[in-house]
Amino acid sequence: MTSSEGGARTIGQRVAETGGRTTGFDYLRIGLALAVMVWHSFPISYGKPFETMVLGGWARPTVAFILPAFFALSGFLVAGSLERNTSLLRFAALRAIRIMPALGVEVLLSALILGPLLTTVGLVAYLSDGEFHEYFLNVFGIIHFDLPGLFETNPIPRIVNGQLWTIPYELECYAALAALAALGLVRRPVLMLAAVTGLQLAVMAITYQPIVFGSPLPELGGVFSGRLLVMSFLWGVVLFRLRDRVLFSGWLAAIAAAVSVALMLVPLGDALAPLPIAYAVAYLGLQQPRSTPIVALGDFSYGIFLYGFAVQQTVASLGAWTHHWYLNLALAVPLVTLFAAFSWYGVEKPALAVRTRLSVLDPIDRWIGSIRTRLLAVLPWPASASGAASKAELR
């Protein structure tokens, strides 16, 4: 899709018009984070059978859209971060300081404060249990959901931080993007498109292979698999890298949204949905609605994501009277907002201030760049137009 001579705008032109910063993405982030809480309020109140019923019926796209939209949004924005940075090492450091400190604090608060307060086992038994020790692995993306004696009588028993299952796939997204950049593909949009298309075809082959060999078509159900979340992220990256060739069109966004919904209502249709979802998300994110305190006070979306499930489970543990989705949500949202504000102002924003000190990584980056230049010399495309190393590659 290329910009026409008749004056149709491209995504790149829209990015230039807005200076690369839109409130649309801010509202999308906070909206999607709250949508996760809205969805969780149902299974947390009524249990897994209700979740299975919803995800197997006509309402599935409303729920299934949330996570791939989050990942596509992240891919579009992180691709811009990669383009602005001067090194892969600095890019990796930025991703680490954006994710790990806030995640680490949430895990510590859950294990060391929430757990001892609510556990049904003795404190000594709690602290000596293997589940307690393993829970700290969440900081490194090795996910463990349970803490000893917590939430055992809730409609969803024992799970403390059910939302963390996506963290390993988020880390996988960053690793995949760094690998594509290291191979010199990110700076070459056509090669980037070819690589991601190849990965998409591989995912489709894996998805449809059982059907080809005679297995029955599975029933509709579940949210997007981890590999499809990664594909949603990568298509967000592709749209940013091809932004000067892809039309910015409300009609295309509406068609993409409609196609996404249709695919999510078809068994195995998810495998084809990441690209249209990514386009619809990019279009919405590049809108510029008026800023309000909802987004002007800070980026609370990650904090809402991190603390939402644990707070909602805590509300559900207060008794059966809380097991209504609207009550759970009404009680949890104000508390989660406070935790999200603490996370942003007390952890995330101070951690991001470390960006100004990343020049300490430059000697290591130069060493990595020299190795990368030698490795790229054996590939069928040059390291960059001038043969320069990774800094020129990523400017």
Side-chain angles (χ1 to χ4, degrees), residues 35-50:
V36 170
M37 283 192 66
V38 172
W39 164 239
H40 284 163
S41 68
F42 287 92
I44 283 173
S45 297
Y46 309 122
K48 283 286 185 180
F50 183 90

Side-chain angles (χ1 to χ4, degrees), residues 97-99 101-102 296-300 302-303 340-356:
I97 64 177
R98 184 66 186 96
I99 294 174
L297 289 175
D299 184 3
F300 292 176
Y302 189 38
F342 155 75
S343 182
W344 174 249
Y345 288 112
V347 184
E348 298 167 57
K349 194 173 181 180
L352 289 172
V354 177
R355 288 179 294 188
T356 59

Side-chain angles (χ1 to χ4, degrees), residues 253-263:
I255 292 169
V259 169
S260 302
V261 169
L263 288 170

Side-chain angles (χ1 to χ4, degrees), residues 28-42 62-63 65-67 70 304 312 329:
L28 263 180
R29 273 195 296 256
I30 199 77
L32 289 170
L34 289 171
V36 170
M37 283 192 66
V38 172
W39 164 239
H40 284 163
S41 68
F42 287 92
T62 306
V63 177
F65 176 84
I66 299 170
L67 289 179
F70 240 137
I304 292 172
Q312 288 182 277
L329 207 58

Side-chain angles (χ1 to χ4, degrees), residues 264-275:
M264 287 186 282
L265 287 171
V266 176
L268 302 182
D270 291 0
L272 294 168
L275 175 54

